[in-house]
Amino acid sequence: MTPDSRSPTPDSLSTELRRLEEIVHQLEGEDADLDRALALFEEGVTRLKAARLRLAEAEAKVQRVLEDAAGTLSLVDFDV
């Protein structure tokens, strides 16, 4: 495992997305050997899962904030 793929503390969403972009560029442009390409792919999948989790957590937090005093939840569609 490379130092880039180890993250003892969760990275910010922007950090995850920047690293994912770097991984995509490396996989598209580099003539990396199979082992390196697989390691990059594995790191990318891990970071994508982490980014999705952070987004889900943020959505849940927004929903909690929108809850009114009566205890009803006002759901807002996040799809654009």
Side-chain angles (χ1 to χ4, degrees), residues 4-71:
D4 289 336
S5 64
R6 282 183 272 160
S7 55
T9 58
D11 289 329
S12 69
L13 180 60
S14 61
T15 300
E16 294 289 1
L17 294 177
R18 271 195 304 275
R19 181 61 187 144
L20 279 167
E21 191 173 319
E22 291 171 5
I23 290 169
V24 168
H25 287 301
Q26 288 178 12
L27 288 172
E28 288 177 341
E30 212 177 83
D31 280 337
D33 64 13
L34 181 60
D35 290 334
R36 176 69 179 143
L38 287 172
L40 286 169
F41 179 77
E42 182 180 10
E43 179 186 351
V45 169
T46 300
R47 289 186 177 269
L48 180 60
K49 287 179 183 178
R52 284 183 175 165
L53 178 62
R54 290 188 61 84
L55 286 171
E57 289 170 349
E59 182 177 356
K61 186 173 184 178
V62 168
Q63 288 177 346
R64 283 192 304 272
V65 169
L66 294 176
E67 188 173 341
D68 67 10

